[in-house]
Amino acid sequence: MDIEKTYTDLSSIFKNSTILKNEPMSKHTSFKIGGKADILIKAKSIEDIKTILQYCKIENIPLYVMGNGSNVLVKDNGIRGIVLIVDIDDINIEEKEEKVKITVGAGVKLGKLAGELLKRSIRWI
């Protein structure tokens, strides 16, 4: 994989998602260890995720999907390819009568969700 070409390609495609090259994985894991990822993308939308998947398939680039980095260990020599962090942080709360439907994006932090529920006095048993 040509890191510079891939970075340039992806930078021209995505406007809302964050794209970083040679990114230390220690910044993205709870244990704060690990080498660099060739490319790290924080995807902000489902459309961006679909595009990244398609790009990696066409270009034959290894893709690693990661959550919040909790309990993840990365080797000191890093990750070759693209690391995708889903960073969709939408919270949608629908209240109908005595029922509440809560839909959250894959990147929502639990503290943010808890704060939103507390603010609306929503609790569960």
Side-chain angles (χ1 to χ4, degrees), residues 40-124:
L40 183 134
I41 301 172
K42 288 187 175 184
K44 292 284 190 184
S45 71
I46 292 172
E47 292 76 26
D48 283 359
I49 294 168
K50 289 177 183 177
T51 303
I52 293 162
L53 293 171
Q54 184 178 27
Y55 181 88
C56 288
K57 184 175 182 179
I58 291 169
E59 297 293 329
N60 196 29
I61 296 173
L63 176 69
Y64 304 90
V65 180
M66 189 173 95
N68 195 32
S70 298
N71 301 320
V72 174
L73 298 174
V74 177
K75 292 180 181 181
D76 289 339
N77 61 350
I79 299 173
R80 305 291 65 85
I82 295 175
V83 174
L84 170 63
I85 296 176
V86 179
D87 196 23
I88 302 171
D89 63 353
D90 300 332
I91 298 175
N92 184 25
I93 300 173
E94 297 175 35
E95 298 182 58
K96 290 186 180 177
E97 298 170 14
E98 292 188 24
K99 293 186 179 185
V100 178
K101 179 180 177 183
I102 303 166
T103 308
V104 297
V108 173
K109 306 289 188 271
L110 290 177
K112 179 180 177 180
L113 176 59
E116 187 64 32
L117 297 176
L118 180 65
K119 187 168 51 175
R120 294 177 181 234
S121 299
I122 297 172
R123 61 187 190 107
W124 59 91

